[in-house]
Amino acid sequence: MPQKPTALVIGAGIGGIAVAGRLARNGYDVTVLEKNGQPGGRCGQIIRDGHRFDIGPTLFLMPEVWEETFAALGETMSKHIDLRRIDPTYTVHFDDGLKIRLTSNIGEMQAQLEAIEPTAFTGFLSYIAEGARHYKLSLEKFVGRNFYNIFEYFSPKNLPLIFQLKALQKHYANAGRFFKDERLKAAFTFQNMYLGLSPYDAPATYSLLQYTELAEGVWYPMGGMYAAIQALVEIAEKLGVKFVYNAPVKALKVAGSKIAGALLEDDREMTADLFIGNADLPYIYKELLPGRAEAEALDKKLYTCSTLMFYWGVDRQYPQIQHHNIFLGGDYKASFDRIFKDHSLPESPSFYVHAPARTDPAAAPAGQDTLFVLVPVGHLSARTRQDWQAMTEKARQTVFARFEKDLGIGDLREHIKFEITYTPLDWKERFNLDKGAAFGLSHNFWQVGYLRPQNRHKKYKNLYFAGASTHPGTGLPIVLLSAKLVAERILKEQR
């Protein structure tokens, strides 16, 4: 039998796992090298004293993209993941005491919105309809395909889509066409933070996020998001993929216009016919490849924000806390300016709380709670004085104060059994995320599509990329599309 072509994937994030499985199913002998002791990357898991936390993503969105991934690996998603729809998707708490439950129940949405602004429900229906158009056009024409040259991207067919998708308009300003109340504009644009973006800078295209949540649904896999990682790893292993953990790569060795091998920290060298970088793309250019020009160019690009994380094991339950909870600070615009311009923590921080035991009792010991708190903050910056210890303490006290004010929970401090925290320094150290930017490179007009770093290296023709900082971008389902697109490109170019 002819020898199989070999592929080496650097990083066992969800993109690396998915592309490894796709290549293995198409005849490749695939090995995945992972820096840490478990797969998943930012979609990893912490288990302590019976409390189970997803490290990063907690929202299972765009299930059709996940289903396509499982199908491409020869499997049916429903046989591997037990999904539960979360509705209401969130409870949003405003600084002035207003509370909105975002739900797919149209009658409930109408009652809530019209109590705030008489024309808001009509605006809401139009806004969701626009999001549906953006979603379908984006998947079909931009996000779901490769662009091999600038002329494909700016083709006569695509140019009108830039205006149809409102790619040159800002999301928050566009929301003003549908809602007048500032709180409603905030309620339907804060989702940009999933991509680590400010709604004042993000393209209006991202109204698609609200459509996906309310129409396609927000889901939760029983066992947590990590259950999806475990399922994909199991399938990949069944297809012959070999995973090597605690195997950080320190350099990629080059020979002419190709990568010849990967040199590990323990000085082992591994060779392959082709290489796929699933580590953070700017990190690969900066730390693993020779030459500085491309790394310096990437350093000048816009990056997403970072996050302060609190993982709390709590010795009692708080039924006031829903599965997904958003707490918005007072001055919405000032908050984003502090995060994205000052690279700091807002004076009145907004934050997100995930309480998985509301849906999955196994996430916490009986009678106890598992709480995950995410506070958006600026990424690491050499130009800004950043006292992470002080910012972490301020964020912690803000959460306690809002819990007491909005939910009547005044005793949480006394019931926290343990706390695990992550700062931008941890995101950089644990996951090699450049600048500690938790979502990778940003998404503006100049950093999407063909203008985003390509999924194949310009010089080294056997080096490809999958993940948040290459095309099409960040977010778990979008990274799954990244794996699909790079696998398609490899099979087109390398056979």
Side-chain angles (χ1 to χ4, degrees):
M1 291 181 63
Q3 193 170 1
K4 287 184 177 182
T6 55
L8 194 64
V9 180
I10 300 163
I14 192 167
I17 298 164
V19 75
R22 286 176 181 269
L23 292 178
R25 192 151 193 255
N26 281 277
Y28 276 82
D29 182 348
V30 187
T31 300
V32 181
L33 301 177
E34 169 54 42
K35 167 184 185 280
N36 294 312
Q38 64 175 10
R42 283 164 278 187
C43 197
Q45 184 184 67
I46 297 169
I47 295 178
R48 180 167 167 183
D49 297 346
H51 296 268
R52 189 189 69 226
F53 306 87
D54 286 313
I55 290 175
T58 58
L59 300 170
F60 192 104
L61 300 172
M62 300 168 65
E64 73 278 12
V65 174
W66 290 83
E67 286 170 347
E68 188 281 331
T69 297
F70 279 85
L73 303 181
E75 301 285 340
T76 303
M77 183 175 74
S78 60
K79 292 182 178 178
H80 294 272
I81 302 177
D82 179 8
L83 288 180
R84 307 291 171 89
R85 186 163 184 170
I86 308 300
D87 196 356
T89 54
Y90 313 90
T91 302
V92 184
H93 300 268
F94 295 87
D95 192 55
D96 64 359
L98 177 69
K99 181 171 73 173
I100 299 177
R101 285 158 45 100
L102 296 184
T103 171
S104 59
N105 183 320
I106 294 298
E108 185 178 341
M109 285 300 295
Q110 181 175 9
Q112 291 184 93
L113 294 173
E114 289 182 346
I116 299 167
E117 178 184 310
T119 61
F121 182 64
T122 302
F124 166 75
L125 294 177
S126 299
Y127 186 70
I128 295 300
E130 179 184 274
R133 291 193 300 273
H134 288 174
Y135 179 76
K136 289 174 171 58
L137 273 175
S138 294
L139 273 184
E140 182 183 347
K141 303 294 185 180
F142 284 103
V143 176
R145 58 161 294 186
N146 280 306
F147 293 98
Y148 293 95
N149 58 64
I150 195 75
F151 304 106
E152 281 187 0
Y153 188 59
F154 288 116
S155 69
K157 284 185 178 179
N158 275 358
L159 280 175
L161 297 175
I162 292 172
F163 301 98
Q164 292 174 35
L165 290 168
K166 297 188 174 181
L168 300 175
Q169 298 182 40
K170 303 305 182 190
H171 194 182
Y172 189 83
N174 183 61
R177 294 180 58 247
F178 305 94
F179 310 103
K180 302 307 175 197
D181 190 287
E182 297 297 321
R183 296 167 300 181
L184 293 181
K185 293 180 196 175
F188 292 103
T189 59
F190 76 80
Q191 293 87 347
N192 291 143
M193 292 302 295
Y194 304 162
L195 307 176
L197 302 177
S198 163
Y200 295 92
D201 298 324
T205 311
Y206 290 123
S207 60
L208 61 86
L209 291 169
Q210 290 71 44
Y211 165 76
T212 61
E213 288 183 352
L214 295 176
E216 306 277 335
V218 172
W219 301 81
Y220 178 81
M222 297 300 283
M225 295 297 290
Y226 196 66
I229 295 294
Q230 291 173 309
L232 289 171
V233 168
E234 181 184 327
I235 292 166
E237 288 179 331
K238 192 166 77 171
L239 291 168
V241 177
K242 297 175 284 294
F243 288 86
V244 183
Y245 299 108
N246 300 306
V249 173
K250 69 177 178 181
L252 290 172
K253 300 184 74 172
V254 303
S257 63
K258 287 195 168 185
I259 300 297
L263 186 63
L264 277 61
E265 290 283 358
D266 61 8
D267 290 328
R268 280 182 294 165
E269 185 176 339
M270 301 190 72
T271 61
D273 297 314
L274 62 91
F275 297 78
I276 301 97
N278 181 232
D280 191 34
L281 182 143
Y283 172 84
I284 294 174
Y285 276 93
K286 185 182 288 185
E287 301 295 339
L288 304 187
L289 289 171
R292 300 298 309 158
E294 288 166 312
E296 288 168 4
L298 283 168
D299 196 58
K300 294 173 184 174
K301 290 187 178 292
L302 292 176
Y303 284 71
T304 56
C305 69
S306 192
T307 62
L308 298 173
M309 307 294 299
F310 300 99
Y311 306 97
W312 288 330
V314 182
D315 67 10
R316 58 158 291 185
Q317 291 180 333
Y318 290 99
Q320 308 97 306
I321 305 172
Q322 304 302 306
H323 189 111
H324 297 299
N325 312 262
I326 298 289
F327 295 80
L328 294 178
D331 190 329
Y332 195 59
K333 186 172 190 311
S335 291
F336 286 106
D337 286 346
R338 286 286 287 167
I339 293 168
F340 290 95
K341 293 181 180 178
D342 302 338
H343 302 302
S344 188
L345 181 72
E347 288 302 315
S348 177
S350 299
F351 58 94
Y352 159 75
V353 180
H354 182 227
R358 294 301 163 276
T359 303
D360 187 356
Q368 301 187 25
D369 239 340
T370 292
L371 299 179
F372 159 120
V373 180
L374 181 156
V375 186
V377 70
H379 63 60
L380 298 172
S381 172
R383 296 188 297 275
T384 306
R385 183 179 176 275
Q386 295 171 309
D387 184 339
W388 295 113
Q389 185 175 350
M391 282 191 265
T392 300
E393 179 58 24
K394 179 178 178 178
R396 182 186 293 111
Q397 295 307 321
T398 297
V399 175
F400 290 151
R402 289 294 299 269
F403 272 20
E404 186 163 8
K405 173 187 167 188
D406 296 327
L407 302 176
I409 296 173
D411 63 349
L412 178 59
R413 294 175 184 82
E414 291 78 53
H415 290 281
I416 294 175
K417 296 159 55 181
F418 65 85
E419 174 186 271
I420 300 167
T421 61
Y422 277 24
T423 73
L425 297 169
D426 295 291
W427 290 118
K428 182 178 181 181
E429 172 62 27
R430 293 172 187 268
F431 303 108
N432 291 335
L433 297 175
D434 199 27
K435 302 180 192 290
F439 308 87
L441 285 174
S442 190
H443 303 71
N444 63 10
F445 181 77
W446 303 105
Q447 291 183 191
V448 295
Y450 186 76
L451 305 177
R452 198 168 183 79
Q454 296 293 292
N455 56 12
R456 193 191 74 179
H457 196 282
K458 193 178 295 184
K459 178 179 178 182
Y460 306 118
K461 305 300 185 185
N462 66 336
L463 175 59
Y464 294 82
F465 302 98
S469 290
T470 186
H471 175 66
T474 194
L476 287 185
I478 305 304
V479 171
L480 287 176
L481 287 174
S482 165
K484 174 177 184 265
L485 295 178
V486 76
E488 287 175 355
R489 184 166 190 171
I490 288 168
L491 296 173
K492 176 182 177 181
E493 295 177 346
Q494 297 292 332
R495 288 296 178 91

